[in-house]
Amino acid sequence: MRVYTSCVLLAAVAAWSGCAGRAPEFDARPVLATAQTVPMPNANDAADDPAIWVNAANPGQSLVIGTNKQEGLGVYTLDGALLHYYAFGKPNNVDVAYGFPIAGANVDIVATEDRSIFNLRLFAVEPADRSLREIPVTSPRFDFEPYGSGLYKAQDGRFFVFIGSKSGVVRQYLLATKADGSVALELVRMLTMPSQVEGIVADAELGRVYIGEERAGIWRFGANPEDGTTGTLIAPIGAAHPIRRPDLEGLTIYRTGATSGYLIASSQGSNEYVILRRDGENEFVGVFKVTDGPAIGGTEETDGIDVTSAALGTAFPHGLFVAQDGHNQPANQNFKLVPWEAIASQFEPALDLAPRTAE
Ligand code: CA
Ligand code: CA
Ligand code: CA
Ligand code: CA
């Protein structure tokens, strides 16, 4: 019996305050994955964070790019097959941005912070064979261990990367392109949270960035360097809150319109995903979890997540949610793929699909 059910029964004869205070609407809706990636080549904690590359020319040929924090990056097709594998270091988080102008072309970029070199690694997606080509980053080694990262393409065309750290400081760098096809990082702002941060996602249209302080909750800041350094804790962690237990890990955004959609967080300590509204004051929407199905297991102790609202062929017509699976025994860790409509349909009323359904 779930805790909240016990509380409901108790509430009939005792004060509600006698319970832990967790409201029934925080109960997680069960969802099944429909695909999973080839397991990591390494045992123990290896998989961390996914990023989805949307192939605009051929959406069914889009990619899931996942970090192996012991070795490098795996590039997977939408049925979970391994297409390319790059062993180069210790990447932690990974993110994708589109239309980065460099050396006379616009390329889609993949960014990951590499703890083996204390620097950012950048790649361009080669559409022809969906491989990753490394773009040299010429900046010197960070004087801190990078931990967590996210890309941000501003409305004015500037590209930034946010890099987190175990001290709680997030640094924002401008990606400055050089004529020789390399990129330099120019520090433009520092945001300070009280303790270790990791998950970072930027909302380009709303000019916001969300940062996960692992043991405290989700912070919201303006995404531009000119936006100051004062943040708002929009979703604290605690027994009475949707994010029940630390760590808070991945953050991602499902877009249903120019400014509408959902902000989703991985609540690692409770094996759940918490959905907030993307706009306004990020009101609570609901909680879901990925449970064991007949063919594909659920997700537990999830690190990173990613979601897209782009239609990715027949398998994911309303978009795709990807979550790291911390417990995939007897196989090694991997990533699970869930169609968005499988999540949306678990709520009443159902969550919006993209493009946004009629008002
Ligand atoms: Ca990611
Ligand atoms: Ca973490
Ligand atoms: Ca699992
Ligand atoms: Ca992580």
Side-chain angles (χ1 to χ4, degrees):
M1 183 177 287
R2 297 190 62 89
V3 172
Y4 89 85
T5 308
S6 305
C7 284
V8 169
L9 295 174
L10 278 171
V13 292
W16 176 263
S17 60
C19 296
R22 187 166 169 85
E25 63 264 32
F26 298 161
D27 188 39
R29 308 298 171 96
V31 173
L32 298 180
T34 59
Q36 61 183 334
T37 61
V38 170
M40 289 283 132
N42 313 79
N44 304 317
D45 201 19
D48 193 83
D49 187 46
I52 299 163
W53 174 68
V54 176
N55 184 341
N58 192 349
Q61 302 294 306
S62 296
L63 299 172
V64 172
I65 300 164
T67 57
N68 174 349
K69 54 193 169 193
Q70 299 183 29
E71 274 191 357
L73 286 175
V75 176
Y76 306 91
T77 58
L78 295 182
D79 59 3
L82 183 66
L83 187 64
H84 301 288
Y85 188 74
Y86 303 95
F88 55 80
K90 296 188 183 306
N92 189 24
N93 289 178
V94 61
D95 201 6
V96 166
Y98 298 89
F100 181 66
I102 186 166
N106 283 337
V107 299
D108 298 340
I109 52 172
V110 176
T112 184
E113 85 281 14
D114 184 347
R115 290 185 280 182
S116 74
I117 56 169
F118 278 37
N119 215 323
L120 183 76
R121 283 190 192 267
L122 268 184
F123 302 86
V125 180
E126 295 283 2
D129 63 357
R130 293 178 288 166
S131 63
L132 304 183
R133 171 177 53 82
E134 188 153 11
I135 297 170
V137 174
T138 56
S139 296
R141 205 181 145 84
F142 300 135
D143 59 0
F144 62 95
E145 179 183 5
Y147 192 75
S149 63
L151 288 166
Y152 167 50
K153 179 183 182 179
Q155 297 289 306
D156 63 10
R158 291 178 296 176
F159 283 74
F160 299 95
V161 65
F162 292 89
I163 308 260
S165 67
K166 294 190 175 183
S167 71
V169 175
V170 173
R171 291 163 177 83
Q172 181 176 11
Y173 297 91
L174 177 73
L175 299 184
T177 56
K178 305 299 176 190
D180 65 359
S182 66
V183 168
L185 306 182
E186 295 178 1
L187 182 65
V188 294
R189 189 168 55 148
M190 294 173 73
L191 304 171
T192 303
M193 266 121 302
S195 68
Q196 180 166 317
V197 294
E198 186 181 351
I200 299 172
V201 65
D203 187 326
E205 294 86 355
L206 288 173
R208 297 170 165 189
V209 62
Y210 299 93
I211 298 170
E213 186 185 355
E214 290 188 337
R215 306 196 71 79
I218 306 172
W219 289 88
R220 185 183 69 213
F221 293 86
N224 292 307
E226 304 79 20
D227 288 339
T229 56
T230 304
T232 306
L233 185 65
I234 60 160
I237 298 172
H241 297 293
I243 304 174
R244 280 196 272 181
R245 282 192 291 271
D247 289 357
L248 168 66
E249 286 279 334
L251 295 170
T252 187
I253 294 171
Y254 183 90
R255 292 168 167 80
T256 57
T259 60
S260 59
Y262 306 103
L263 171 67
I264 308 174
S266 166
S267 175
Q268 186 179 51
S270 53
N271 306 320
E272 293 168 338
Y273 310 98
V274 173
I275 307 173
L276 308 176
R277 285 187 62 87
R278 177 186 169 198
D279 54 357
E281 290 306 307
N282 306 107
E283 288 166 29
F284 171 75
V285 174
V287 182
F288 69 97
K289 59 185 175 183
V290 181
T291 56
D292 287 342
I296 298 175
T299 56
E300 298 79 27
E301 249 190 274
T302 292
D303 280 296
I305 56 176
D306 198 11
V307 74
T308 180
S309 57
L312 302 185
T314 53
F316 303 101
H318 298 284
L320 165 66
F321 172 80
V322 182
Q324 183 259 12
D325 182 17
H327 295 187
N328 193 37
Q329 295 88 347
N332 292 336
Q333 292 180 338
N334 69 354
F335 299 94
K336 302 289 198 273
L337 284 68
V338 183
W340 176 257
E341 65 272 20
I343 299 167
S345 64
Q346 289 300 307
F347 294 88
E348 308 91 28
L351 303 186
D352 289 339
L353 308 176
R356 190 178 174 83
T357 47
E359 302 284 359

